[in-house]
Amino acid sequence: MAFTLQIGDKAPDFKVPATDGKVYSLADFANSEALVVFFTCNHCPYVLGSDEVTRTTVERFRRKGVAFIGINPNSETTQPTDDFAHMVERMKTHHFPWVYARDKSQQVARAYGALRTPHFYVFDQDRQLVYTGRGVDNPRNTAEMTINDLDRALEEVLARRPVSTSATNPIGCNVKWEGKDASWMPPEACDLV
């Protein structure tokens, strides 16, 4: 069995607290045309470098019925700035237009097979996975990006077309697993990064 979700897989459910004081599950997004679940954090330079491009994507596609939830799975033991208090401060400062939730147990990240921050998963109206991977081809320096895979995938999903490139390698920092380094991942997960 592969470590990360495969195209066609159903979105695993979750129950995660967010910076807005609410707790979110899949059911909260039931009326959305599509759902983007992405694993992100407070500190990774690939996240920080691409946040504004992600903001533009969210603002564009939210109007078309796409919901977005960013989930921070990183161990605060490994990376103390990824704790919930820092998440709340980050949202107060930047006012990002997505739900920002905490996966302290890392169970959601394991269910999805999150490999990096950022790592995007796009689900269609039936909550089947239609795209997984990077948002853009140069998340650390978006001034030099040439491809926006997330935008392309969402355009195709909303047009009810098959996603032309359904999987790409996520580009970013390894998820900071509690008590482990990247060597714990199964070989097939390492092949993807």
Side-chain angles (χ1 to χ4, degrees):
M1 181 178 163
F3 174 73
T4 194
L5 287 181
Q6 302 297 295
I7 299 304
D9 286 353
K10 284 280 198 182
D13 203 358
F14 48 78
K15 191 172 184 180
V16 285
T19 57
D20 62 5
K22 299 175 185 173
V23 175
Y24 288 86
S25 68
L26 269 185
D28 292 300
F29 305 101
N31 295 326
S32 302
E33 284 287 311
L35 173 64
V36 178
V37 176
F38 63 105
F39 292 87
T40 185
C41 66
N42 294 332
H43 78 280
C44 171
Y46 296 89
V47 169
L48 301 180
S50 58
D51 271 339
E52 291 306 313
V53 168
T54 304
R55 181 196 300 273
T56 300
T57 296
V58 174
E59 289 173 344
R60 176 182 169 202
F61 287 96
R62 198 171 54 173
R63 293 191 296 266
K64 299 179 179 183
V66 180
F68 295 81
I69 179 169
I71 299 176
N72 179 355
N74 279 350
S75 162
E76 57 197 60
T77 306
T78 306
Q79 185 54 251
T81 61
D82 273 326
D83 68 5
F84 192 75
H86 283 90
M87 291 172 58
V88 171
E89 282 305 309
R90 189 158 145 69
M91 287 299 273
K92 279 183 184 172
T93 301
H94 297 286
H95 304 286
F96 292 125
W98 54 81
V99 172
Y100 192 23
R102 181 76 174 121
D103 176 24
K104 187 172 180 176
S105 71
Q106 302 187 315
Q107 290 178 348
V108 181
R110 290 182 193 281
Y112 279 72
L115 299 171
R116 305 272 189 184
T117 55
H119 188 167
F120 294 86
Y121 296 81
V122 177
F123 297 92
D124 65 13
Q125 200 165 23
D126 298 323
R127 298 302 177 256
Q128 288 187 305
L129 185 67
V130 293
Y131 174 77
T132 180
R134 66 192 186 189
V136 298
D137 64 343
N138 196 335
R140 192 167 184 158
N141 182 6
T142 54
E144 296 180 5
M145 73 180 197
T146 59
I147 300 168
N148 189 322
D149 290 286
L150 182 58
D151 276 15
R152 175 192 41 76
L154 289 170
E155 285 166 2
E156 292 170 345
V157 168
L158 292 179
R160 303 284 192 265
R161 297 198 311 266
V163 175
S164 52
T165 301
S166 57
T168 59
N169 289 335
I171 301 170
C173 302
N174 288 328
V175 170
K176 305 300 184 270
W177 300 105
E178 186 69 39
K180 299 186 187 273
D181 60 26
S183 65
W184 80 272
M185 292 193 301
E188 63 270 20
C190 298
D191 291 343
L192 293 170
V193 296

